[in-house]
Amino acid sequence: MFGYIIINKGDMKFKEFDIYQAYYCGLCKVLKEKYGLTGQMTLSYDMTFIIMLLSGLYESETETDYCKCVAHPFERHMTKINEYTEYAADMNILLSYYKCKDDWMDNKKYGRLLYAQLLKKGYHHLEQKYGCKIRRIEALMEQLTKKEIDGCTDVDEMSRLFGEVMAQITVYKDDEWKENLYKMGLYLGKFIYLCDAYEDIEKDLKEGNYNPFYELYKYPDFEEQCRSILVMMMSECSREFEKLPILDHIEILRNIIYSGVWYRYEKIHSEREAKEKGQAQEQ
């Protein structure tokens, strides 16, 4: 379920992209420092959003530096790191661990099982560090896995479970903004879960894998219903986001919430439309 919380680069100013990339590179650096190459390989843009969201909300002190790395060996590039970078790195390891386990259950790929084993040490460290948060996420993921095995097709219930996982991750501390962050994470998580299901529906049906859209896919208005559900999820997410007193990086965050998160959905939707038109023309 990675790769959905991204920017729309075409609608972003060069300076904004440089700042966004600096937080991303900062996350990469912290992952390597804390978890080595195994952790660094889990790097994704999704957690960069969490860093910038919490940084903008709490206006933390951020260290700006310049460094070289394997991806940029010939020139120094900017990195931005603060306390939320370490938190995002930890949450990235957590989600990656569950993603590997999920891939193993779905496709029985031994590479994913092996990778999960490599991440397990870091995961146990998180259990000790975050206590109740990790136990809550663990319980939610276990419920989600059980219901997937049982073939549950209640779209709202299935998306809620992953939504609550994202809500736990989005909430950094127990303060006045906890409720808004929780609701924002809840609806963002529901959107991600359903987008992932939408993207994989044809492949899952072909391979006999679980998908919450199994029943809905049988109806001729499947595409319209999916879009309607996803729009509703992001509308609620956006509503909670706009209640937060964020000034720093607000345009970057809005770019992600209002545009970037739709990139993969629109790509898949366009490909399916083109495929259907081609099949109709052949007939």
Side-chain angles (χ1 to χ4, degrees):
M1 296 174 192
F2 287 101
Y4 290 98
I5 315 175
I6 57 177
I7 57 168
N8 180 346
K9 190 176 179 181
D11 287 346
M12 184 175 279
K13 297 174 183 175
F14 289 116
K15 185 178 180 181
E16 290 173 344
F17 178 75
D18 288 343
I19 292 171
Y20 176 76
Q21 192 68 28
Y23 279 103
Y24 175 73
C25 290
L27 176 60
C28 178
K29 185 177 180 180
V30 171
L31 278 168
K32 184 179 180 182
E33 289 173 353
K34 286 197 69 177
Y35 299 103
L37 181 60
T38 301
Q40 192 178 26
M41 287 171 62
T42 70
L43 178 67
S44 75
Y45 282 106
D46 304 74
M47 286 298 111
T48 307
F49 171 76
I50 296 296
I51 299 170
M52 298 191 75
L53 174 69
L54 297 176
S55 299
L57 178 60
Y58 294 115
E59 299 179 344
S60 65
E61 211 171 295
T62 299
E63 179 185 337
T64 301
D65 199 1
Y66 292 84
C67 69
K68 293 180 182 179
C69 67
V70 175
H72 307 90
F74 302 114
E75 59 181 62
R76 287 157 58 83
H77 57 283
M78 182 166 57
T79 61
K80 286 184 175 291
I81 296 174
N82 56 37
E83 63 180 291
Y84 309 113
T85 311
E86 181 175 345
Y87 173 72
D90 291 342
M91 295 300 105
N92 200 73
I93 293 296
L94 174 71
L95 287 178
S96 297
Y97 176 71
Y98 279 118
K99 178 70 168 64
C100 287
K101 289 182 68 177
D102 186 57
D103 287 347
W104 162 248
M105 286 189 63
D106 284 349
N107 304 307
K108 294 296 182 287
K109 292 182 179 178
Y110 284 97
R112 305 305 287 171
L113 179 62
L114 176 60
Y115 197 25
Q117 292 300 317
L118 292 174
L119 292 171
K120 200 168 186 179
K121 182 179 178 182
Y123 177 74
H124 286 320
H125 167 71
L126 298 180
E127 286 181 313
Q128 299 170 3
K129 185 175 181 180
Y130 294 101
C132 292
K133 185 188 287 282
I134 298 297
R135 286 193 292 273
R136 178 60 180 152
I137 291 173
E138 241 179 16
L140 288 164
M141 293 303 294
E142 284 175 7
Q143 287 180 59
L144 188 63
T145 299
K146 184 179 184 303
K147 286 182 179 289
E148 286 183 349
I149 292 171
D150 292 342
C152 177
T153 54
D154 185 335
V155 172
D156 187 59
E157 171 65 8
M158 298 303 289
S159 63
R160 179 192 64 80
L161 288 169
F162 187 75
E164 288 198 33
V165 170
M166 279 304 299
Q168 293 290 329
I169 290 171
T170 307
V171 173
Y172 183 69
K173 57 185 175 181
D174 189 358
D175 64 2
E176 60 187 309
W177 306 116
K178 178 182 177 180
E179 185 177 349
N180 300 111
L181 287 170
Y182 188 90
K183 288 180 180 177
M184 183 184 168
L186 173 67
Y187 289 109
L188 180 60
K190 292 178 79 168
F191 176 88
I192 292 168
Y193 184 82
L194 295 176
C195 252
D196 188 63
Y198 173 80
E199 182 174 344
D200 291 343
I201 182 63
E202 293 176 341
K203 174 175 166 286
D204 286 339
L205 287 175
K206 183 179 178 181
E207 297 179 0
N209 295 330
Y210 170 81
N211 194 295
F213 282 139
Y214 178 75
E215 291 296 329
L216 194 62
Y217 188 69
K218 298 175 182 178
Y219 293 91
D221 61 345
F222 169 72
E223 292 290 341
E224 291 77 8
Q225 287 198 57
C226 276
R227 181 180 284 273
S228 177
I229 293 169
L230 292 172
V231 167
M232 182 171 62
M233 296 301 102
M234 284 314 297
S235 294
E236 293 298 328
C237 175
S238 304
R239 190 196 311 277
E240 297 303 323
F241 170 74
E242 294 296 347
K243 293 176 183 177
L244 301 172
I246 296 176
L247 295 177
D248 290 346
H249 316 314
I250 188 66
E251 294 307 320
I252 299 175
L253 293 168
R254 283 178 175 151
N255 173 288
I256 295 169
I257 289 173
Y258 293 109
S259 181
V261 296
W262 289 98
Y263 175 79
R264 278 174 66 171
Y265 168 81
E266 294 294 353
K267 182 175 181 290
I268 298 300
H269 180 68
S270 297
E271 288 173 356
R272 285 187 184 153
E273 276 194 329
K275 183 180 176 181
E276 288 177 6
K277 285 179 182 178
Q279 290 173 343
Q281 288 173 357
E282 287 176 4
Q283 292 173 359

